[in-house]
């Protein structure tokens, strides 16, 4: 009975026009989530460079911040993905070539730890397995369990291109990682050296500054006395006292430093000290870096275990003695303490110093101790040979990309804007980046050590395959570096590597590829790169601004900068950046604004909430609270509210379809060609039609602008107000007056009302679709009775407003009308008119100062009397010139209004109700009295229970008396 031919679309056995009575998000969402993936709706094939984008449409490219392959979806992901999906769907519907690329990160340290834990349970270890078998084991784990988070994303219906899904260890991405390394090496930007790194003794790897979390910790400051040596190495009896929070590091001391102008030590310049416990002679050095005010003004110098000492050691050519092994146990350089754990050694050293009378005061001391972000072990600053990137030329470009140029333009724009400053501050203070990790899972560093000449061989840029011999002495005794690259090195390359870099590099369009790569198979075309690089936007959380965002900017600008533009021009910085915009989203906290944490037990699992309320309601909750720079206090009460919103729209659809079917019975149908655009009305249309069309255009205009400004919150709330308030509460109620399909009705008026109704509803679904993709998909297919013009609402056009359709006089006229109706309803409530009663009102019309209404309000109100009667449940409107002062009245824009009403009582019903109440009270009283008379009960029950019971008894007695009096007062039959 639908408007359109029978349905034969995607849901086969179902006729979508006959919606189930109840809105059931689970059924809808599972169905459409599967459909979107199956139909590859969001796949964007590599554009043919010969064919320009249709109508020169712009491209919108966005990368999913790749979750760890070990990851599970949390609320932060859900917010991040909701925001990306809203924008991608909105751009796609607005005619852009919208590509969203998903993938996962191999997450070196996290994944290795997870598999190592499994091995421990099995009673083995990675060392027992050996490197090759261990790496194979991790791959097996990845194949079985990895990427579960992407399956979760599929259920959430995110509109990504699954055909482009990647893993950071995929071969083509690994080629890019290798090429990036060897190029930087050839450019002199990668070096190897011994420096102080943050060493995690548990993970047994260097970790970056960013992976160290500092926590205040109560500890001690131990004072140690170092004997001064005189001529012939004899102790003079004088001491220099130093203070330390880590006494065990003294085993590696190679000097004591004082300020050159510190008068306390002037006479000791050039003298030596005896290092207690180790019996080593160490010099006293002078260095202006030493603070005279701190402690005794003398500091022990341990170059191998402290970054400042390391620098000082370099300045004074002091030896560096590393006294700890990878597990932070004392090594052979620690003399008698060899083999002891660092904290066991500490105790023993303090005790030994005390025995020898060399221990000074022990003071309580609170300091900031670095912990490994992964395993929470205290990090040991330790000298270690690592690979570094010389950050400077890369950082300069990355700064220039964010700073405004002479014309005030920025190649990369941050939202919220304050992150620009945070980024720049950090970049201007950046140190060389330690890129090596002592892990087995990851991209192994492409460098080979020679056993003969001890030099390093790194392959030439553009080469493939591993070197067979040392590049310096031609010896074949070379072995590959065992370290792997920091995970952020590969994820930092993603924007360039995902679109085919470096395989097309140095290759002008159409020209044969570089000889080492051949010209045929395996050569990637640069069409992807030309179409999608730079990406449009990065949406991410603050916590990876430096880990990831800054690295993508550095590596993106550096490598893309060398790739000529499609037309052969050299690439400007503005086109080298990995993305043009960065949007940093807020944190999702619990309803009490507390940070979610496992220990607090307040973590909200998005999948659980989705099961309860539906994805659409959860997405809408997040969007409606996502105001830039403000954390979200996630409250399920709001989600419940948005589920009710979805339900309201569902019911509206059912109402509309019912009318469509009724109209069809008398031969009125709506042309489906009238749908899919923006509705228009002429000036003679009824007020509510002109008004709702104006509201739709007005809302559309605002929402498009808000989305461009990342104001998801205001956009969501604006649509909500429109759909629930304007459309459902007002327009639908009014339009019921016009939907008269009885035989003697005005057919053309009814048809035109029905047409506008469906047009507005269909457009409103499209407006809402990026926020609630499932509900709108289901209802949109139903509007077309299963024969929609495109496979999905996501491929239809996003509403665009037309200013000429924003009829301001209609918008203005609805205000006094709404006001009058709302006030009349309130007045009815105040004076106790029953919900369903229809009663007369008096209106004393106002003079009509509202510009939209000419000649006072009376003609206007008379013209819309049917609306007032219907919406305010009015039987009759009496226009009067004055409302008597004794009448209860309300003042409205349209005039004063009073309700004519005398409360009538249905005596029989009231008698029955009161009689029932009295019986119930008496029963309750009897029970309470029985209990209060029970000695045994009174003896045992706590005082507050007895007290409560007595109070309850008194209250019931009062209610009983009132009910009896009311019954008595009823008129006799
Ligand atoms: Zn660790
Ligand atoms: Zn060699």
């Amino acid at each position: 009975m639908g408007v359109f031919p029978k349905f034969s679309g995607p849901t086969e056995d179902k006729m979508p026009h006959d919606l189930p009575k109840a809105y059931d998000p689970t059924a809808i969402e599972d169905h459409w989530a599967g459909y979107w993936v199956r139909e590859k709706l969001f796949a964007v094939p590599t554009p043919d460079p010969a064919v320009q984008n249709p109508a020169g449409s712009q491209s919108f490219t966005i990368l999913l911040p790749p979750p760890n392959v070990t990851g599970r979806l949390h609320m932060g992901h859900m917010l991040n993905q909701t925001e990306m999906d809203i924008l991608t769907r909105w751009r796609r519907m607005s005619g852009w070539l919208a590509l969203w690329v998903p993938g996962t990160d191999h997450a070196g340290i996290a994944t290795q730890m997870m598999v190592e834990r499994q091995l421990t349970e099995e009673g083995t270890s990675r060392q027992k397995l050996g490197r090759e078998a261990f790496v194979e084991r991790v791959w097996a784990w990845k194949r079985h369990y990895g990427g579960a988070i992407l399956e979760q994303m599929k259920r959430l219906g995110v509109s990504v291109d699954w055909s482009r899904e990647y893993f950071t260890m995929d071969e083509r991405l690994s080629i890019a990682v290798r090429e990036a390394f060897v190029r930087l090496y050839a450019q002199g930007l990668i070096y190897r050296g011994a420096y102080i790194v943050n060493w995690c003794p548990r993970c047994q790897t260097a970790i970056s500054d960013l992976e160290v979390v500092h926590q205040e910790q109560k500890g001690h400051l131990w004072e140690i006395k170092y004997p001064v040596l005189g001529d012939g190495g004899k102790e003079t009896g004088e001491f220099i006292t130093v203070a330390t929070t880590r006494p065990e590091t003294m085993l590696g001391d190679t000097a004591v430093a004082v300020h050159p102008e510190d008068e306390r030590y002037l006479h000791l310049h050039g003298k030596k000290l005896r290092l207690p416990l180790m019996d080593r002679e160490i010099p006293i050095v002078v260095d202006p870096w030493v603070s005279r005010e701190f402690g005794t003004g003398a500091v022990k110098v341990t170059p191998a275990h402290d970054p400042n000492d390391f620098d000082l050691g370099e300045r004074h050519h002091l030896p560096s003695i590393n006294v700890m092994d990878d597990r932070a146990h004392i090594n052979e350089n620690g003399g008698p303490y060899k083999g002891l754990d660092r904290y066991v050694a500490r105790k023993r050293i303090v005790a030994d110093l005390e025995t020898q009378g060399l221990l000074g005061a022990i003071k309580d001391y609170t300091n900031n101790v670095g912990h490994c972000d992964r395993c929470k072990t205290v990090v040991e600053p330790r000298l270690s040979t690592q690979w570094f990137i010389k950050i400077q030329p890369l950082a300069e470009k990355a700064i220039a990309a964010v700073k405004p140029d002479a014309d005030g333009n920025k190649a990369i724009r941050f939202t919220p804007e304050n992150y620009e400053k945070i980024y720049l501050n950090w970049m201007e203070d950046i140190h060389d980046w330690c890129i090596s990790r002592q892990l087995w899972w990851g991209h192994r560093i492409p460098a080979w050590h020679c056993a003969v000449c001890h030099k390093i061989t790194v392959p030439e840029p553009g080469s493939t395959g591993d070197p067979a011999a040392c590049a310096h002495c031609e010896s074949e005794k070379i072995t590959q570096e065992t370290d792997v690259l920091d995970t952020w090195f590969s994820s930092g390359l993603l924007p360039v590597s995902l679109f085919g870099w470096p395989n097309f590099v140095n290759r002008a369009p159409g020209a044969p590829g570089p000889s080492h790569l051949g010209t045929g198979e395996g050569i990637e075309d640069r069409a992807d790169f030309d179409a999608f690089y730079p990406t449009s936007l990065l949406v991410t959380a603050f916590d990876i601004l430096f880990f990831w965002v800054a690295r993508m900017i550095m590596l993106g600008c550096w490598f893309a900068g060398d790739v000529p533009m499609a037309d052969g021009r050299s690439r400007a910085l503005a086109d080298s950046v990995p993305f043009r915009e960065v949007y940093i989203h807020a944190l999702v906290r619990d309803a009490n604004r507390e940070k979610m944490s496992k220990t607090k037990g307040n973590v909200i699992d998005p999948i659980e909430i989705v099961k309860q309320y539906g994805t659409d309601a959860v997405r809408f909750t997040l969007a409606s609270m996502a105001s830039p720079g403000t954390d979200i206090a996630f409250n399920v009460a709001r989600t419940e509210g948005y589920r009710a919103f979805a339900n309201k729209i569902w019911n509206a659809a059912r109402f509309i379809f019912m009318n469509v079917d009724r109209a069809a019975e008398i031969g009125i149908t709506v042309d489906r060609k009238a749908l899919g655009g923006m509705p228009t009305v002429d000036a003679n249309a009824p007020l509510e039609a002109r008004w709702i069309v104006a509201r739709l255009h007005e809302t559309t205009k605002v929402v498009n602008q808000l989305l461009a400004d990342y104001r998801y919150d205001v956009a969501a709330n604006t649509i909500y107000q429109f759909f629930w308030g304007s459309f459902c509460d007002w327009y639908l109620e009014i339009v019921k007056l016009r939907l008269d399909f009885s035989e003697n009705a005005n057919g053309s008026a009814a048809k035109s009302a029905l047409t506008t109704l469906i047009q507005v509803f269909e457009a409103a679904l499209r407006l809402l679709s990026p926020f609630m993709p499932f509900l709108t998909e289901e209802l949109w297919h139903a509007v077309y009775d299963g024969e929609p013009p495109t496979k999905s609402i996501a491929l239809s056009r996003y509403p665009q407003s037309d200013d000429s359709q924003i009829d301001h006089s209609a918008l203005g006229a609805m205000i006094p009308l709404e006001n009058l109706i709302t006030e009349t309803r309130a007045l009815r409530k105040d004076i106790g008119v029953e919900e369903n009663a229809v009663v007369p009102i008096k209106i004393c019309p106002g003079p009509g100062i509202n510009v939209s209404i000419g000649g006072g309000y009376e003609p206007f109100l008379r013209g819309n009397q049917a609306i007032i009667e219907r919406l305010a449940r009015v039987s009759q409107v009496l226009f009067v010139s004055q409302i008597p002062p004794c009448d209860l009245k309300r003042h409205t824009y349209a005039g004063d209004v009073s309700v004519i009403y005398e409360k009538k009582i249905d005596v029989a019903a009231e008698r029955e109700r009161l009689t029932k109440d009295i019986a119930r009270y008496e029963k309750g009283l009897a029970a309470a009295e029985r209990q209060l008379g029970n000695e045994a009960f009174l003896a045992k029950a706590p005082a507050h229970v007895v007290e409560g019971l007595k109070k309850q008894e008194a209250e019931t007695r009062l209610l009983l008396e009132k009910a009896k009096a009311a019954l008595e007062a009823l008129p006799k039959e």
Side-chain angles (χ1 to χ4, degrees):
M1 287 201 293
V3 234
F4 307 126
K6 277 289 163 273
F7 168 68
S8 59
T11 38
E12 286 100 21
D13 52 338
K14 191 168 138 238
M15 208 176 80
H17 204 154
D18 293 337
L19 291 176
K21 203 161 174 208
Y23 163 61
D24 173 11
T26 312
I28 301 176
E29 293 181 358
D30 282 342
H31 169 74
W32 291 114
Y35 174 76
W36 294 334
V37 174
R38 217 165 43 242
E39 295 289 319
K40 301 185 171 58
L41 285 190
F42 309 118
V44 180
T46 299
D48 183 344
V51 184
Q52 283 304 310
N53 289 341
S57 66
Q58 287 171 278
S59 68
F60 178 78
T61 315
I62 186 164
L63 303 188
L64 176 77
N68 286 353
V69 68
T70 52
R72 286 289 185 278
L73 197 85
H74 57 59
M75 245 352 184
H77 293 127
M78 178 110 191
L79 170 65
N80 176 263
Q81 292 174 16
T82 297
E83 292 180 339
M84 281 190 279
D85 199 39
I86 289 173
L87 291 179
T88 309
R89 283 175 182 268
W90 169 61
R91 289 294 190 198
R92 185 184 294 115
M93 289 176 76
S94 304
W96 294 42
L97 184 68
L99 170 65
W100 181 7
V101 187
T104 46
D105 193 288
H106 66 279
I109 200 162
T111 313
Q112 175 158 332
M113 265 180 75
M114 169 158 280
V115 177
E116 277 190 272
R117 263 203 299 272
Q118 282 188 351
L119 293 178
T120 309
E121 279 167 27
E122 293 165 22
T124 179
S125 68
R126 76 178 154 108
Q127 286 82 1
K128 281 183 201 158
L129 235 56
R131 184 166 188 149
E132 213 171 301
F134 177 76
V135 170
E136 191 35 59
R137 174 75 192 245
V138 183
W139 274 110
W141 180 91
K142 189 253 169 193
R143 281 190 293 270
H144 263 86
Y145 308 105
I149 193 166
L150 297 185
E151 292 308 311
Q152 293 179 310
M153 284 176 65
K154 282 180 187 159
R155 171 57 185 79
L156 296 181
V158 292
S159 65
V160 304
D161 180 353
W162 291 110
S163 71
R164 291 179 183 263
E165 181 190 328
Y166 66 87
F167 178 55
T168 47
M169 297 253 288
D170 283 347
E171 198 185 350
R172 67 191 182 102
L173 299 184
S174 301
I175 290 172
V177 167
R178 172 186 154 122
E179 181 67 15
F181 182 95
V182 302
R183 278 193 190 208
L184 288 169
Y185 188 83
Q187 289 163 342
L189 296 176
I190 283 186
Y191 64 93
R192 190 167 181 261
Y195 291 90
I196 297 285
V197 295
N198 305 296
W199 184 267
C200 174
R202 214 295 325 167
C203 300
Q204 294 188 27
T205 179
I207 55 179
S208 79
D209 288 347
L210 295 165
E211 289 161 318
V212 177
V213 274
H214 289 275
Q215 283 167 0
E216 284 218 329
Q217 200 164 301
K218 285 200 175 108
H220 301 286
L221 197 60
W222 285 272
E223 288 185 355
I224 308 172
K225 297 194 275 187
Y226 288 13
V228 176
L229 299 179
D231 295 336
K234 284 222 180 87
E235 291 185 15
T236 61
E238 198 179 349
F239 297 98
I240 284 189
T241 302
V242 297
T244 177
T245 57
R246 297 189 294 153
E248 64 279 10
T249 61
M250 69 170 289
L251 303 175
D253 281 2
T254 52
V256 163
V258 295
H259 192 277
E261 286 151 27
D262 192 335
E263 289 175 358
R264 289 169 290 183
Y265 303 110
L266 285 177
H267 66 290
L268 295 177
H269 289 187
K271 292 261 188 331
K272 292 205 161 161
L273 299 168
R274 181 173 67 81
L275 178 67
L277 310 180
M278 298 301 286
D279 283 330
R280 186 158 69 228
E281 281 190 13
I282 57 173
I284 295 168
V285 297
V286 295
D287 195 290
W289 171 81
V290 179
S291 159
R292 276 175 282 184
E293 286 73 40
F294 184 76
T296 59
V299 295
K300 62 195 269 311
V301 182
T302 326
H305 290 278
D306 181 278
N308 292 317
D309 292 9
F310 180 80
D311 292 342
L312 198 144
E314 291 279 286
R315 289 197 290 277
H316 297 273
H317 309 290
L318 297 171
S320 295
I321 303 176
N322 185 348
V323 296
M324 286 185 210
D325 66 12
D326 290 355
R327 298 167 306 148
H329 286 204
I330 304 299
N331 65 15
E332 64 281 359
N333 294 330
Y337 303 95
K338 183 186 166 197
L340 296 180
D341 170 82
R342 56 184 163 168
Y343 299 122
V344 178
R346 178 181 296 180
K347 274 192 189 142
R348 183 105 33 111
I349 286 166
V350 171
D352 290 350
L353 287 169
E354 190 163 26
T355 314
Q356 297 182 18
L358 296 174
L359 190 67
I362 304 175
K363 293 173 180 161
D364 286 339
Y365 190 74
T366 304
N367 64 340
N368 254 338
V369 179
H371 292 73
C372 170
D373 193 23
R374 287 275 157 215
C375 71
K376 312 304 170 208
T377 303
V378 173
V379 164
E380 192 66 41
R382 175 172 177 268
L383 189 67
S384 163
T385 300
Q386 302 286 345
W387 294 84
F388 292 84
I389 289 188
K390 220 177 191 175
I391 217 69
Q392 219 16 272
L394 282 80
E396 265 167 32
K397 273 197 174 195
I399 289 170
V402 171
K403 269 194 177 160
D405 67 12
D407 303 324
N409 297 320
K410 298 168 187 172
I412 298 175
R413 194 173 71 99
F414 278 85
T415 304
E417 229 174 27
N418 60 310
Y419 286 107
E420 177 186 309
K421 203 168 170 234
I422 298 174
Y423 167 88
L424 288 173
N425 283 343
W426 189 77
M427 285 303 287
E428 275 155 12
D429 190 35
I430 193 171
H431 301 288
D432 285 1
W433 171 15
C434 172
I435 50 169
S436 46
R437 295 292 181 271
Q438 289 65 49
L439 301 173
W440 285 356
W441 175 242
H443 296 103
R444 197 160 167 179
I445 289 181
W448 280 258
H449 299 280
C450 176
V452 176
C453 73
H454 303 293
K455 286 185 178 163
I456 290 172
T457 301
V458 170
E460 288 294 309
S463 66
T464 55
D466 296 347
C470 173
H472 309 280
C473 74
E474 292 177 17
S475 160
E476 287 175 13
K477 288 185 179 166
I478 56 169
T479 46
Q480 189 173 359
E481 169 63 57
T482 53
D483 289 357
V484 298
L485 287 162
D486 180 6
T487 305
W488 301 102
F489 186 84
S490 60
S491 49
L493 284 167
L494 282 173
V496 279
S497 60
L498 276 179
F499 299 119
W501 184 90
N503 286 349
F504 57 76
V505 160
N506 300 330
R507 185 166 159 236
S515 57
H516 63 273
L517 289 172
T519 51
E521 288 165 61
I523 296 291
E524 288 183 49
D525 207 317
R526 51 174 292 161
D528 264 348
F529 197 87
D530 292 336
F532 304 120
Y533 194 92
T535 68
S536 313
L537 169 69
L538 178 76
V539 178
T540 189
F542 169 70
D543 57 356
I544 50 173
L545 180 59
F546 307 125
F547 273 128
W548 193 44
V549 182
R551 267 125 201 211
M552 280 193 286
I553 298 177
M554 284 192 282
L555 296 175
C557 291
W558 192 255
F559 291 113
D562 289 344
V563 180
M565 301 293 282
D567 59 9
R569 278 179 305 136
S570 63
R571 191 172 288 264
L573 183 62
D575 294 315
S576 307
V577 295
F579 27 75
R580 301 192 190 280
E581 305 242 331
V582 179
Y583 177 81
I584 304 282
H585 65 71
L587 284 181
V588 185
R589 296 169 178 269
D590 77 1
N592 303 317
R593 301 207 160 272
E594 297 270 343
K595 219 170 168 176
M596 292 190 201
S597 85
K598 278 190 192 142
T599 34
K600 274 190 237 158
N602 63 344
V603 176
I604 301 170
D605 179 354
I607 298 294
E608 283 306 308
I609 298 289
V610 159
K611 274 187 196 155
Q612 240 176 310
Y613 299 101
T615 309
D616 280 338
V618 181
R619 283 171 64 115
F620 207 86
T621 310
L622 291 168
S624 71
M625 300 179 84
S627 138
T630 311
D631 284 352
I632 291 175
F634 190 88
N635 191 338
V636 287
R638 276 186 83 137
T639 313
E640 223 163 288
Y642 293 129
R643 193 190 188 285
F645 175 50
N647 199 49
K648 182 114 181 164
I649 296 170
W650 185 268
N651 289 337
R654 283 174 44 83
F655 168 80
I656 293 167
F657 298 153
M658 188 184 79
N659 278 285
V660 166
D661 291 350
R662 276 176 50 213
E665 280 172 32
I666 59 160
I668 295 178
T669 56
V670 174
D671 186 355
R672 72 165 63 191
K673 288 198 198 79
L675 305 182
M678 284 297 275
T680 56
V681 280
D682 58 49
N684 311 321
L687 173 62
E688 79 279 355
R690 288 183 290 126
W691 172 74
I692 196 69
V693 168
R695 284 284 294 126
L696 177 67
H697 281 269
E698 191 185 42
T699 306
T700 296
K701 184 176 181 174
V702 174
V703 167
N704 275 304
Q705 187 53 52
L706 288 166
L707 286 176
D709 295 339
Y710 307 107
R711 290 309 301 256
Y712 309 93
D713 54 337
V714 192
N717 292 321
T718 304
I719 295 173
Y720 179 90
Q721 299 298 344
F722 171 78
F723 224 141
W724 186 307
S726 301
F727 186 80
C728 293
D729 283 351
W730 290 99
Y731 174 65
L732 267 190
E733 290 306 313
I734 299 172
V735 86
K736 282 175 184 170
L737 288 169
R738 324 286 179 205
L739 299 176
D740 181 355
F741 303 113
S742 57
E743 274 177 32
N744 41 15
N746 177 346
S748 84
K751 176 170 178 164
S752 114
L754 187 68
T755 305
T756 303
L757 170 62
I758 300 177
Q759 282 179 327
V760 172
F761 183 63
E762 192 269 352
L765 289 176
R766 284 183 279 123
L767 191 68
L768 176 64
S769 185
F771 296 84
M772 288 192 160
F774 293 104
L775 172 77
T776 53
E777 184 82 299
E778 176 81 10
L779 296 180
W780 186 76
H781 282 260
V783 166
Y784 287 95
D785 219 358
E787 299 238 319
T790 57
K791 275 184 166 180
S792 165
I793 190 172
L795 306 180
S796 71
R797 288 281 286 161
Y798 201 70
Q800 300 297 324
S801 63
D802 173 356
D803 280 354
S804 73
Q805 287 297 318
I806 304 179
D807 178 342
H808 292 280
S809 74
L811 290 174
M814 267 304 279
I815 295 169
L817 197 58
E818 274 184 28
N819 185 223
L820 178 77
I821 292 166
T822 311
E823 290 298 324
T824 307
R825 285 172 178 166
L827 190 54
R828 286 170 54 109
K829 211 169 181 181
D830 282 358
I831 61 177
V833 180
E834 288 90 358
E835 189 77 25
N836 291 319
V838 180
V839 295
I841 59 170
K842 278 188 242 176
I843 298 177
C844 170
I849 40 169
N850 184 321
V851 286
S852 309
I853 315 291
Y857 270 108
E858 185 166 340
F860 169 72
L861 293 175
R862 282 188 189 279
N864 292 292
Q865 197 167 328
I867 296 177
I868 300 168
E869 287 172 359
R870 178 167 185 100
L871 271 68
R873 294 192 188 284
V874 169
S875 57
Q876 193 191 359
V877 179
L878 299 172
F879 288 94
V880 297
S881 56
Q882 203 189 357
I883 293 178
C886 55
D887 283 7
L888 201 55
K889 64 173 177 247
R890 292 285 180 113
H891 307 287
T892 80
Y893 297 135
D896 293 349
V897 60
S898 75
V899 173
I900 304 167
Y901 179 68
E902 237 176 88
K903 192 159 184 161
K904 286 197 210 81
I905 299 171
D906 179 340
V907 176
E910 192 65 3
R911 172 164 295 128
E912 196 187 323
R913 188 180 68 80
L914 288 168
T915 311
K916 272 189 192 158
D917 283 355
I918 290 169
R920 201 173 75 240
Y921 297 145
E922 283 174 338
K923 211 171 147 192
L925 263 186
E929 277 165 4
R930 222 174 15 253
Q931 217 163 2
L932 287 170
N934 182 340
E935 299 281 332
F937 167 76
L938 290 179
K940 271 189 226 155
H944 72 269
V945 172
V946 178
E947 225 21 67
L949 209 56
K950 280 186 181 158
K951 205 170 155 236
Q952 197 190 332
E953 188 209 7
E955 280 169 356
T956 312
R957 198 177 296 284
L958 195 67
L959 285 172
L960 178 65
E961 275 158 23
K962 277 189 181 171
K964 278 183 175 164
L967 187 65
E968 199 61 30
L970 282 180
K972 301 286 176 268
E973 279 153 283

